[in-house]
Amino acid sequence: MSKRNSIVKALAEKLKLIDGSTPYSVNIYGNAYPYLKFWDEVQNFPCVYMTPGSEYREYLPGDFKWAFLSISLKIYCNGEDSSSQLELLLEDIETCVDANRVLEYSTGKETTEILITSIVTDEGLLAPYAVGEINLQVRYALE
């Protein structure tokens, strides 16, 4: 498995831990997946789907290279108060990402940092659904 896909899979496993117990507010019932689905294909709510995006490199002396990977998370909620549930879930995901900035994605390999670069929502336009997107930047060393 590629490093990019390994990082996304490891992140999905961490997001599956969002279960509504402290420090989280929403239970996603393990619905975090390392692939993309669009809201009209989703059956179980709330859920998080993610996919790796573009990646760029920074070359440093000593033949050292940083890789900066973009990951897009799509968050889907459904129900009477889906917009409020989405806002709480966005906060829960931020809490999870902050707690796992250094993430082991393969034996002996880990990310250096994971940063949230943007958060966007549908602003209630898709009610009774609520859709959000979080974009992450993951930095890891290339060997």
Side-chain angles (χ1 to χ4, degrees):
M1 183 180 303
S2 73
K3 292 176 185 175
R4 295 162 46 88
N5 287 330
S6 295
I7 291 169
V8 172
K9 185 176 179 185
L11 184 58
E13 291 302 314
K14 292 298 183 183
L15 291 175
K16 285 181 181 187
L17 301 176
I18 297 175
D19 62 0
S21 63
T22 305
Y24 304 116
S25 303
V26 177
N27 189 348
I28 65 169
Y29 305 98
N31 292 322
Y33 305 98
Y35 53 86
L36 188 59
K37 267 195 179 180
F38 295 100
W39 68 274
D40 59 338
E41 301 173 298
V42 175
Q43 300 296 317
N44 298 315
F45 297 91
C47 57
V48 180
Y49 290 88
M50 63 194 78
T51 185
S54 62
E55 182 173 289
Y56 70 91
R57 308 284 163 78
E58 183 179 328
Y59 296 90
L60 300 171
D63 208 24
F64 185 82
K65 296 175 271 197
W66 284 119
F68 295 88
L69 171 65
S70 297
I71 298 177
S72 178
L73 282 67
K74 307 291 190 212
I75 301 98
Y76 306 114
C77 297
N78 185 13
E80 196 171 302
D81 199 17
S82 59
S83 291
S84 295
Q85 184 182 45
L86 176 64
E87 290 298 327
L88 291 172
L89 185 49
L90 291 170
E91 289 179 8
D92 287 349
I93 292 169
E94 185 172 3
T95 299
C96 185
V97 167
D98 286 345
N100 293 285
R101 285 202 167 150
V102 176
L103 177 66
E104 184 173 335
Y105 62 89
S106 185
T107 306
K109 297 184 188 257
E110 58 188 22
T111 63
T112 303
E113 69 179 353
I114 302 175
L115 303 173
I116 294 175
T117 58
S118 67
I119 299 174
V120 180
T121 70
D122 69 332
E123 300 178 12
L125 295 174
L126 298 173
Y129 296 96
V131 179
E133 180 178 24
I134 296 178
N135 290 301
L136 304 175
Q137 181 185 45
V138 178
R139 177 169 44 168
Y140 65 98
L142 282 176
E143 298 173 11

